[in-house]
């Protein structure tokens, strides 16, 4: 039986909660009984926000360290931080764009080079798909649509039990009508990025 | 229309635990709900507020949790079904009312939701409120999932009416903020007006009446225990020789662990959901059937202690373990892997823990930068903190800063470092009284507007009356920002059609006897610095009211952010004053051509125009440049 644990991580305001919601709604429409959890509260003011989507016959809404099958990281440093939740076969999708944390912005510490961080992740997980999702979101006309870019990319990896069309239907039905067009464009740009071999730092073993 | 009213009975929806509770209340025909917002409970109130605007129920954001519970109690006394929701520490505020309400009893079903926060995601402690149900002597239900939160809310209303007692629905963050599949039932029709029937000799708790009422409460507890025995929320699953007991979300972790370890045949699983009073006969049957018992519960050993006491009183010697060395901790929330590991060891099952990858910092060869939460760019609290900092510096005195609960608590972090002492809602003022009296130091206390109405009024009256010496800065951002921008009595900028009558905060402060009073817009630096200097230098109780709305709230109401943006010109002298004193997160330093350059991120800058008043190198950005 299918059991899949998906972990999303990003910075407050990036829309990880909406991404997990869209995925959960699509899974529900496809006949699954998904379970989602969210972090709220103080973390939203520029801190880390995480959410989970659990598919399969499981009752636990959260993911323990080392148990995420898929990770969607909305920011480069948070991709590396999420390694704690990965195992050797995890598929990680990472945005390479940088949001400097406050201690970096004021020069107290420096931000690790993105290339180094990706190399570390690529050396550990089963697959790493990394590209500048923020640039694609801007290209789609909505800088906030990083979440849709990553969902589109995830759909294109064919690892999900729900189809890209299922996800798009939820985007049409449940996201802010003002942004639906930009969201769908972002989704397609993400899907195209997943098909570009250049963006794969390590292919998941078949 | 509110999402909670949509959908046909039998339909399956993906609801947050909090939404499931709100929906269940509507299916139960709740006629009045009251809350004070607090994570992780806030969405219960927010959803019911939305629905209340269709006229289906009466809803209020109360000034604090005691008020919310008392308002609900009044409605219930008149026969209405009522709900009061709050976070765990809110029950401390409501506890005075709760203890005696259990004596008074209820007429219409009354459900008290206590949302506990193991791991302190957004709280000042991680108290286990199951102890409150036992303390007050009221029935308690503990759901493990959104669907069960809905089922138990419905059951709680019925149980409350059957026993004439308030019922506690005790959730945890992981249930409140889990989104799961919930099936919809029929919505109840709007209730008819209630009617209060006088019965002072059982409803007015003078000693002679309360003596009887206490005896009645004990008798009701006995009846409640009998109901717990047959409750569908208390179940014995399986029949193996190893006993496992769990409640709340821990029961979900146990269910997954049994499945994944293939242990179902070896374990008898006692899943408890109606957890006060406990079903003693069911537990005794369970204890006499198994060889040893593991109790899986977050936080306090509430079930474990009860099981041990019960085993002793019934002469059962089966070993019962739960908290302790190599077992479960009394700290923090659990997670599935942890429960699986402890369970496997307890059952002596070979078990493969997932292979953890090496730590990221090790692989990278350096620590990962932290990402602390911080006051937003453009937040007026930062501007006020800055002015106080400069005022103290210029006057050459050190300030001591008792603070309170809200966004502004984040002023704790450097570079602001404007928080020295904090206990609970309203404690800034009262602890300031003691601190200044004892130390003679210059004490500047901070409190938000919502918090001031919640717990500050009595403290300020005390400070005035007892002639204390403190400067109270009320950081009035016009909303309850931390929990999602809920209104409170002081709000003037409200969502369309919000029915609340605004209460003038300044008039309240003066009405409490404060004669030294300043009101500033903290984003106007000259003015706020001048006022801050006068206020800091003065003696006695003084209040400085800093009024400027939360920019996130304004953006939400107006649907857009302001457009003015700022930049730093190339000849910035690198004094770093703005970074080291103000710390707006839109500002950052880069190393360009071996020269450090300070810049403002146009995407992050909220355009508050505060920094531009501090430094000549900061200028409005040219049009089209952002
Ligand atoms: S939400 Fe509003 S009040 Fe809170 S930190 Fe942000 S700007 Fe300030
Ligand atoms: S104007 Fe200055 S202080 Fe205000 S948000 Fe922009 S950079 Fe920060």
């Amino acid at each position: 039986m299918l059991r899949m644990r998906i972990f999303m991580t990003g910075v407050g305001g990036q829309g990880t909660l909406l991404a997990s919601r869209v995925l959960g709604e699509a899974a529900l429409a496809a006949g699954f009984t998904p379970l989602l959890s969210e972090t709220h509260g103080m973390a939203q003011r520029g801190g880390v926000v995480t959410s989970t989507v659990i598919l399969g016959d499981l009752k636990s809404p959260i993911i323990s360290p080392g148990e995420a099958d898929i990770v969607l990281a909305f920011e480069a440093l948070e991709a590396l931080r999420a390694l704690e939740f990965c195992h050797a076969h995890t598929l990680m999708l990472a945005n390479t764009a940088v949001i400097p944390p406050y201690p970096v912005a004021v020069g107290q510490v420096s931000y690790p080079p993105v290339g180094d961080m990706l190399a570390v992740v690529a050396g550990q997980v089963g697959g790493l798909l990394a590209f500048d999702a923020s640039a694609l979101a801007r290209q789609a006309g909505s800088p906030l649509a990083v979440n849709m870019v990553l969902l589109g990319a995830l759909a294109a990896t064919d690892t999900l039990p729900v189809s890209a069309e299922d996800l798009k239907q939820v985007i049409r039905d449940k996201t802010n009508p003002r942004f639906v067009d930009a969201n769908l464009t972002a989704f397609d740009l993400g899907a195209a990025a997943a098909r570009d071999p250049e963006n794969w730092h390590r292919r998941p073993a078949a | 229309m509110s999402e909670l009213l949509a959908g046909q009975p039998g339909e399956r929806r993906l609801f947050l635990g909090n939404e499931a509770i709100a929906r269940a209340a509507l299916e139960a025909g709740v006629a009045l709900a009251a809350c004070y917002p607090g994570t992780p409970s806030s969405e219960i109130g927010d959803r019911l507020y939305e629905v209340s605007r269709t006229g289906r129920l009466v809803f209020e954001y109360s000034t604090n949790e005691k008020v919310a519970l008392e308002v609900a109690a009044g409605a219930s006394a008149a026969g209405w079904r009522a709900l009061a929701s709050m976070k765990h520490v809110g029950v401390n505020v409501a506890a005075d009312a709760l203890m005696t309400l259990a004596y008074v009893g209820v007429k219409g079903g009354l459900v008290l939701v206590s949302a506990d926060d193991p791991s302190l995601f957004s709280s000042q402690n991680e108290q286990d409120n199951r102890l409150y149900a036992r303390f007050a002597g009221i029935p308690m239900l503990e759901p493990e999932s959104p669907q069960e939160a809905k089922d138990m809310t419905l059951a709680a209303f019925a149980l409350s009416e059957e026993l004439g007692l308030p019922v506690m629905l005790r959730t945890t963050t992981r249930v409140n903020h889990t989104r799961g599949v919930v099936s919809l039932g029929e919505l109840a029709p709007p209730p008819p007006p209630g009617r209060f029937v006088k019965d002072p000799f059982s409803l007015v708790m003078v000693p002679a009446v309360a003596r009887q009422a206490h005896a009645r409460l004990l008798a009701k507890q006995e009846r409640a225990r009998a109901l717990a025995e047959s409750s569908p929320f208390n179940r014995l699953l399986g029949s193996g020789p190893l006993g496992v007991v769990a409640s709340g979300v821990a029961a979900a972790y146990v269910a997954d662990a049994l499945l994944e370890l293939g242990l179902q045949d070896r374990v008898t699983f006692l899943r408890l959901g109606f957890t006060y009073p406990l079903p003693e006969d069911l537990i005794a049957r369970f204890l006499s059937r198994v060889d040893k018992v593991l109790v899986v519960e977050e936080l306090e050993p509430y079930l474990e202690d009860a099981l041990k006491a019960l085993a002793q009183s019934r002469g059962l010697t089966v070993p019962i373990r739960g908290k302790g060395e190599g077992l479960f901790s009394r700290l923090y929330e659990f997670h599935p892997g942890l429960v699986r590991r402890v369970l496997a060891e307890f059952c002596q099952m070979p078990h493969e823990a997932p292979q953890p990858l090496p730590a990221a910092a090790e692989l990278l060869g350096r620590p990962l930068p932290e990402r602390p939460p911080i006051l937003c760019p453009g937040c007026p609290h930062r501007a006020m903190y800055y002015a106080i900092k400069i005022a103290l510096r210029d006057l050459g005195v050190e300030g001591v800063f008792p603070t309170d609960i809200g966004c502004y608590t984040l002023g704790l972090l450097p570079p602001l470092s404007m928080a020295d002492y904090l206990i609970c809602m309203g404690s800034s003022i009262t602890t300031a009284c003691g601190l200044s009296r004892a130390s003679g130091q210059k004490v500047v206390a901070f409190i938000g507007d919502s918090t001031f109405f919640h717990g500050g009024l009595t403290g300020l009256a005390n400070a005035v009356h007892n002639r204390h010496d403190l400067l109270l800065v009320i950081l009035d951002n016009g909303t309850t920002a931390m929990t999602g921008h809920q209104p409170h009595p002081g709000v003037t900028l409200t969502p369309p059609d919000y029915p609340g009558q605004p209460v003038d905060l300044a008039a309240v402060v003066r009405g409490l006897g404060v004669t030294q009073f300043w009101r500033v817009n903290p984003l106007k630096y000259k003015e706020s610095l001048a006022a801050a200097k006068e206020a800091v230098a003065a003696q006695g109780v003084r209040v400085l009211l800093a009024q400027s709305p939360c920019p996130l709230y304004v953006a939400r109401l107006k649907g857009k952010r302001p457009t003015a943006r700022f930049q730093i010109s190339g000849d910035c002298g690198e004094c770093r004053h703005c970074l080291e004193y103000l710390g707006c997160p839109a500002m950052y330093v880069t190393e360009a051509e071996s020269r450090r350059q300070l810049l403002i991120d146009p995407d992050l800058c909220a355009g508050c125009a505060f920094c531009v008043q501090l430094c000549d190198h900061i200028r409005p950005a040219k049009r089209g440049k952002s």
Side-chain angles (χ1 to χ4, degrees):
Chain A
M1 182 191 325
L2 168 122
R3 273 182 212 150
M4 193 177 271
R5 296 176 168 104
I6 303 160
F7 184 80
M8 302 194 189
T9 179
V11 177
Q14 282 195 299
T16 65
L17 301 190
L18 181 62
S20 51
R21 180 94 195 262
V22 167
L23 188 47
E25 294 282 0
L28 175 65
F32 292 90
T33 307
L35 209 47
L36 285 62
S37 79
E38 313 176 346
T39 56
H40 283 227
M42 305 192 76
Q44 283 167 332
R45 275 143 193 85
V48 183
V49 173
T50 63
S51 58
T52 66
V53 179
I54 313 283
L55 299 177
D57 196 17
L58 293 170
K59 294 181 164 190
S60 306
I62 51 170
I63 299 177
S64 296
E67 300 198 347
D69 302 306
I70 297 174
V71 171
L72 256 52
F74 289 53
E75 197 270 350
L77 171 61
E78 296 319 314
L80 183 59
R81 213 190 301 277
L83 208 52
E84 185 192 351
F85 290 93
C86 297
H87 52 69
H89 305 288
T90 302
L91 168 65
M92 168 144 358
L93 278 68
N95 182 6
T96 56
V98 166
I99 300 178
Y102 183 73
V104 169
V106 297
Q108 279 167 11
V109 291
S110 64
Y111 192 95
V114 174
D116 292 2
M117 295 198 291
L118 293 181
V120 165
V121 174
Q124 298 297 322
V125 298
L128 172 63
L129 172 61
F131 56 91
D132 189 338
S134 301
L136 295 181
R138 277 193 300 276
Q139 193 186 324
S142 166
L144 291 178
V146 173
N147 50 5
M148 299 298 141
V149 174
L150 288 173
L151 273 185
L154 177 60
T157 62
D158 277 335
T159 35
L160 288 178
V162 292
S163 69
E165 195 35 54
D166 290 345
L167 288 164
K168 284 177 150 181
Q169 196 53 46
V170 175
I171 294 170
R172 280 182 213 111
D173 293 346
K174 301 241 171 183
T175 67
N176 188 332
R178 271 170 55 208
F179 301 121
V180 165
D181 288 341
N183 281 346
L184 291 173
T185 309
F187 187 94
D188 289 337
L189 288 172
R195 280 185 228 106
D196 181 350
E198 289 281 294
N199 292 332
W200 284 93
H201 296 245
R202 180 166 176 178
R203 278 276 178 188
Chain B
M1 184 176 66
S2 165
E3 224 193 305
L4 280 195
L5 297 178
Q8 296 304 311
E11 238 174 73
R12 284 152 40 97
R13 293 276 166 135
L14 208 45
F15 274 164
L16 220 49
N18 282 342
E19 293 167 345
I21 292 168
R23 168 77 193 196
L26 295 169
E27 291 180 11
V30 70
L32 179 142
C35 84
Y36 184 80
T39 313
S41 74
S42 305
E43 295 83 3
I44 302 171
D46 293 349
R47 292 300 99 78
L48 290 174
Y49 165 55
E50 282 164 27
V51 173
S52 72
R53 303 183 57 206
T54 66
R56 189 173 266 277
L57 79 157
V58 177
F59 175 83
E60 72 167 50
Y61 290 108
S62 303
T63 41
N64 69 31
E65 297 82 0
K66 179 176 185 294
V67 172
L69 181 60
E70 289 164 352
V71 168
S76 158
W80 268 6
R81 285 192 162 184
L83 179 118
S85 57
M86 54 199 64
K87 67 183 296 173
H88 60 332
V89 288
V91 179
N92 300 335
V93 178
D96 194 20
L98 178 63
M99 294 297 146
T100 305
L101 181 59
Y103 281 30
V104 175
V106 305
K107 191 162 164 243
L110 192 158
V111 176
L112 165 65
V113 183
S114 165
D116 293 12
D117 191 17
S119 279
L120 311 99
F121 291 96
S122 49
S123 303
Q124 62 269 44
N125 74 21
E126 57 177 350
Q127 69 187 44
D128 187 336
N129 277 10
R130 295 181 300 174
L131 302 176
Y132 261 119
R134 191 178 71 193
F135 191 10
I138 60 169
M140 166 171 62
L141 303 175
E142 279 187 76
E144 71 163 11
S145 66
Q147 176 68 55
E148 206 173 60
K150 178 166 176 283
D151 297 343
M152 285 187 174
T153 304
L154 277 159
F157 278 108
L159 187 61
S160 170
E161 277 166 18
E162 184 167 354
L163 293 165
L165 282 177
V167 171
M168 182 190 282
L169 182 76
R170 188 267 191 174
T171 59
T172 55
T173 304
R174 213 39 82 180
V175 174
N176 299 99
H177 288 163
T178 286
R179 212 175 263 286
V181 177
V182 163
S183 48
L184 303 184
E186 202 82 55
L187 286 168
R195 196 184 137 68
F196 177 71
V197 181
K198 289 174 187 260
D199 184 9
F201 294 102
S202 59
L203 296 177
V204 180
M205 287 304 126
V206 294
V209 175
R211 263 179 223 118
Q212 308 298 318
H214 192 188
R216 261 200 316 276
L217 174 60
L218 296 186
K220 285 177 179 177
Q221 280 176 39
E222 216 23 65
R223 269 169 49 216
R225 197 183 70 71
L227 293 173
E229 297 289 358
S230 58
S231 168
F233 301 125
N234 293 331
R235 285 187 306 250
L236 264 180
L237 306 165
S239 58
L242 300 166
V244 179
V245 185
S247 71
V249 77
Y253 302 153
V254 168
D256 283 354
L258 295 178
L259 180 76
E260 293 185 305
L261 294 167
L263 262 174
Q264 291 106 313
D265 298 340
R266 296 180 52 200
V267 164
T268 304
F269 179 20
L270 177 60
R271 218 192 125 322
L272 295 174
F274 187 155
T275 48
Y276 188 83
L278 283 165
E280 294 181 2
D281 295 341
L282 177 69
I283 293 172
R285 268 204 310 285
F286 161 78
L287 292 177
S288 58
R289 248 201 235 172
V290 293
D291 299 338
K292 58 176 185 174
V293 174
L294 179 67
V295 184
V296 189
E297 60 186 325
E298 291 175 322
L299 300 178
E300 293 305 301
Y302 165 79
L303 295 173
E304 182 185 348
D305 289 352
L307 259 64
K308 284 175 175 166
L310 182 69
Q312 205 277 343
S313 74
R314 303 234 176 165
L316 298 164
T317 53
V318 54
I320 298 168
R321 309 288 308 279
K323 307 284 175 186
E325 192 81 12
L327 296 161
F328 291 108
S329 171
R330 287 169 67 178
L331 296 167
Y332 318 135
E333 73 166 355
F334 293 174
H335 58 85
L338 168 80
V339 170
R340 194 165 58 235
R341 177 179 64 72
V342 176
L343 200 61
E345 281 161 19
F346 185 78
C347 299
Q348 288 160 332
M349 275 289 289
H351 140 259
E352 267 174 54
Q355 275 305 319
L357 300 175
E362 247 161 62
L363 293 166
L364 190 66
R366 50 174 289 186
L368 272 53
E370 293 294 317
R371 201 180 283 280
I374 190 163
L375 294 172
C376 306
C379 178
H381 300 334
R382 174 182 294 102
M384 195 63 235
Y385 280 143
Y386 176 82
I388 300 279
K389 251 176 129 74
I390 299 299
L392 286 162
R393 186 195 67 181
D394 290 0
L395 295 169
V397 286
E398 188 203 24
V400 177
F401 310 121
T403 192
D404 230 297
I405 294 183
C407 285
Y408 52 93
T409 320
L410 296 172
L412 163 78
L413 300 169
L416 294 170
S417 307
M418 296 293 278
D420 294 322
Y421 195 77
L422 167 67
I423 305 175
C424 62
M425 300 280 283
S427 71
S428 57
I429 306 173
T430 40
T431 59
C433 294
L435 275 169
S436 70
R437 187 71 76 175
S439 72
Q441 284 169 289
K442 191 60 85 178
V443 175
V444 183
F446 296 97
I447 194 167
D449 43 347
S450 189
T451 311
F452 180 69
F453 280 107
H454 175 287
L457 296 167
T458 44
L460 187 56
N462 178 70
V464 170
H465 175 69
N466 289 306
R467 301 183 194 279
H468 282 288
D469 178 20
L470 67 109
L471 167 59
L472 176 67
V473 179
I474 304 181
L475 299 165
D476 180 359
N477 62 4
T479 183
T480 317
M482 192 79 188
T483 47
H485 298 119
Q486 292 85 358
H488 62 72
V491 300
T492 46
L493 186 67
T494 54
D497 307 328
Y498 180 71
Q501 153 89 36
V503 174
D504 182 352
L505 211 162
V508 168
V509 169
R510 290 209 179 87
L512 285 172
V514 173
T515 52
Q516 305 184 76
F517 179 79
W518 295 259
R519 186 208 299 254
V520 298
N521 175 349
L523 294 177
K524 294 188 176 161
Y525 177 51
K526 253 200 196 142
E527 170 189 324
S528 71
L529 179 66
K533 280 188 180 164
E534 281 177 34
V536 165
Q539 303 287 318
V541 176
R542 314 74 95 190
V543 170
L544 193 163
L545 177 59
Q547 280 181 315
S548 179
C550 163
L552 260 54
Y553 180 56
V554 174
R556 216 160 105 173
L557 283 185
K558 304 225 166 111
K560 59 171 200 271
R561 301 208 304 168
T563 48
R565 295 285 187 279
F566 296 84
Q567 65 183 17
I568 296 169
S569 61
D571 55 351
C572 155
E574 294 189 57
C575 71
R576 294 178 64 89
H577 175 89
C578 55
L579 285 181
E580 277 154 22
Y581 280 77
L582 183 65
C584 173
M587 298 171 169
Y588 65 103
V589 280
T590 57
E591 311 270 348
E593 291 156 17
S594 76
R595 182 175 171 277
R596 304 190 93 192
Q597 170 72 49
L598 190 70
L599 294 169
I600 290 175
D601 182 335
D603 288 334
L604 286 178
C605 172
C608 73
F610 185 69
C611 57
V612 74
Q613 302 165 60
L614 310 181
C615 176
D616 290 340
H617 298 296
I618 301 175
R619 302 250 158 75
K622 288 185 199 76
R623 238 171 243 287
K625 266 206 81 177
S626 79

